[in-house]
Amino acid sequence: MKLILTFAACFAINFSLTVTAQPVKIMVVTGGHTYDTLQFFQMFRSLKGVEFKHYNQPEANQVLTNGIAEKFDVLVFYDMWQTISDPEKEAYIKLTRQGKPFLFLHHSLVSYQQWTEFENLLGGRYIENSELPGAQQSTYKHDVWVNVEIVANDHPVTRGIKNFRLFDEVYGNFRILPQVKPLIKTNHPQSTGVIGWENRYNSSLVIYLQPGHNSNAYNSENYRKLILQSINYLSGNE
């Protein structure tokens, strides 16, 4: 009888954990750059325990301004957008004061060239216009093999991932703020060395991953694991 009761108690606990487990809700933002749409969203559908809603720019920034973004656990940016109003800028800053976590991917590094504070939020910047004060123009190269080296093996974003290769796009000569924590790097001669990092801005935790140009990355098991572990880390669901 005691054995039966113990089994029943364990079953009840496991059932309770299963029932109460909630998916991580993320807002995925695109716009301003072409991409392999079908494979991109297939990647997010494949992420276990993640539920996403997609917004394209400029609608996405309007969503941030009207408060809807506050309902998501993590905000994921894959846009390359330039137009931003003062209320939209304030919406980003407000979210960081609230501690909303951000995941920026690939060409989001190029966004908001004229908004200087965005660089502090993301932790770096791709420079499109070398005429900006103190700027030196960044570079890009499509369709190259990239050796991705894990720098922080014990970090929740990279834990359990071995060094791997991607057929992807590299960025060179982009700025990285000194306070960021490097997560991944590459030795590709046309790339800046560090290609992924953790940043903190106000109360927000921020992750940036430079790889991810097209379906070659989206279909990579290692890249998907980086995305999933970033989302779980940012949401506190490690």
Side-chain angles (χ1 to χ4, degrees):
M1 182 66 176
K2 184 177 181 180
L3 180 62
I4 294 174
L5 290 174
T6 301
F7 174 79
C10 291
F11 177 80
I13 292 171
N14 289 333
F15 179 76
S16 175
L17 289 172
T18 302
V19 170
T20 56
Q22 297 293 321
V24 179
K25 296 182 179 180
I26 67 172
M27 173 179 171
V28 177
V29 178
T30 64
H33 196 293
T34 59
Y35 60 102
D36 294 337
T37 309
L38 178 62
Q39 295 89 340
F40 180 77
F41 292 114
Q42 284 176 340
M43 175 179 68
F44 280 99
R45 292 187 186 98
S46 76
L47 302 181
K48 186 176 180 180
V50 174
E51 180 181 290
F52 74 92
K53 187 171 178 59
H54 171 232
Y55 293 91
N56 199 51
Q57 294 286 21
E59 179 192 10
N61 277 351
Q62 296 168 6
V63 166
L64 266 66
T65 304
N66 64 27
I68 293 177
E70 297 175 17
K71 301 178 181 178
F72 294 94
D73 300 312
V74 180
L75 308 182
V76 181
F77 292 86
Y78 191 67
D79 57 342
M80 196 177 87
W81 200 248
Q82 302 304 329
T83 304
I84 186 167
S85 65
D86 287 340
E88 289 167 347
K89 292 176 185 177
E90 180 53 36
Y92 278 85
I93 303 304
K94 179 183 177 182
L95 286 165
T96 67
R97 294 193 189 107
Q98 296 171 349
K100 185 65 65 178
F102 292 76
L103 173 58
F104 292 99
L105 302 174
H106 194 54
H107 44 241
S108 62
L109 189 69
V110 193
S111 292
Y112 307 122
Q113 294 285 303
Q114 301 301 321
W115 182 27
T116 56
E117 196 59 27
F118 184 70
E119 180 175 355
N120 294 323
L121 195 169
L122 197 153
R125 181 190 295 278
Y126 182 107
I127 304 296
E128 275 197 316
N129 184 0
S130 60
E131 295 178 0
L132 293 174
Q136 186 176 1
Q137 190 161 333
S138 304
T139 62
Y140 65 91
K141 179 67 175 177
H142 289 126
D143 300 332
V144 294
W145 282 105
V146 184
N147 296 318
V148 180
E149 180 182 346
I150 307 302
V151 178
N153 292 286
D154 59 345
H155 194 281
V157 169
T158 53
R159 189 177 296 146
I161 302 176
K162 304 293 185 182
N163 297 344
F164 63 98
R165 299 184 78 202
L166 282 177
F167 192 67
D168 205 349
E169 178 186 21
V170 293
Y171 295 159
N173 196 40
F174 59 84
R175 288 203 302 236
I176 304 173
L177 299 187
Q179 73 268 18
V180 305
K181 178 184 176 72
L183 300 177
I184 57 175
K185 66 179 183 179
T186 187
N187 60 0
H188 194 282
Q190 292 173 284
S191 175
T192 297
V194 175
I195 56 172
W197 60 75
E198 174 185 314
N199 187 39
R200 293 181 182 269
Y201 182 89
N202 287 336
S203 298
S204 284
L205 188 59
V206 178
I207 298 293
Y208 172 69
L209 302 173
Q210 188 276 320
H213 177 65
N214 58 25
S215 59
N216 293 307
Y218 314 152
N219 293 331
S220 164
E221 181 180 346
N222 286 308
Y223 184 72
R224 290 186 180 198
K225 191 171 183 179
L226 272 179
I227 298 293
L228 178 59
Q229 291 186 173
S230 294
I231 291 169
N232 285 333
Y233 172 58
L234 290 168
S235 68
N237 188 37
E238 297 175 38

